[in-house]
Each structure stands twice: as C-alpha cells, then as structure tokens.
Amino acid sequence: MARLSYLMRRGASYYARIRVPLDLADIVGKQELVKALGTKDQGEAKRLMWPVVEGWNRYFDDIRARRDLTPDDKAHATWQHY
C-alpha cells in the first residue's frame, strides 16, 4: 500500500496538496490542488492540513453527487424509495 502524503514543503513554507481523482480532472480543470498553509512549522502544518484535505474531499463528493442522472439511476432511486 502506498503512503499518501498531503503535505509538501517549498522552501521554508508548507503547503497542502491533493491529486484530483481521474474521473473529476476534466471537471475541475486541474490534476492537483495546492494550498499554502501559512506556516513554517511542520507540526502546525500537519494540524492545519487535515481540514483543507477534508474540504477538498467534500468538494469531490459534491461534484460526483451533482452529475447528470441516467434513466437507470432514476429507476434505481425509485425502487430504493419504495
């Protein structure tokens, strides 16, 4: 299993980064999202990184939830309701 690292350092500053899932790359328009954490302390950067990553994951989930529904999706939802 690969180790995921959402924290990167450029010079003395720390940044949060995440690769955009392949199925969403065309919609987002980028392969990777990067955000400055505004700190030079690694411990503080690790603490600040997680809310940023969680926000990005919610953003990806929201994009997936807003996709166009197919007739099969609608039929499945109807049967799940009853």
Side-chain angles (χ1 to χ4, degrees), residues 28-43:
V28 175
K30 298 179 182 179
Q31 298 293 320
E32 179 176 79
L33 298 177
V34 178
K35 180 176 176 161
L37 296 174
T39 186
K40 296 180 180 182
D41 179 48
Q42 184 179 15

Side-chain angles (χ1 to χ4, degrees), residues 14-30:
Y14 284 92
Y15 296 80
R17 78 167 189 91
I18 192 169
R19 291 194 54 83
V20 176
L22 293 176
D23 61 324
L24 301 177
D26 289 337
I27 297 168
V28 175
K30 298 179 182 179

Side-chain angles (χ1 to χ4, degrees), residues 48-73:
L48 295 172
M49 170 192 64
W50 288 112
V52 173
V53 170
E54 289 171 2
W56 284 332
N57 284 324
R58 282 192 305 271
Y59 172 62
F60 297 150
D61 291 341
D62 186 49
I63 291 173
R64 285 187 179 114
R66 293 174 184 259
R67 69 182 175 87
D68 293 333
L69 294 177
T70 66
D72 289 338
D73 291 336

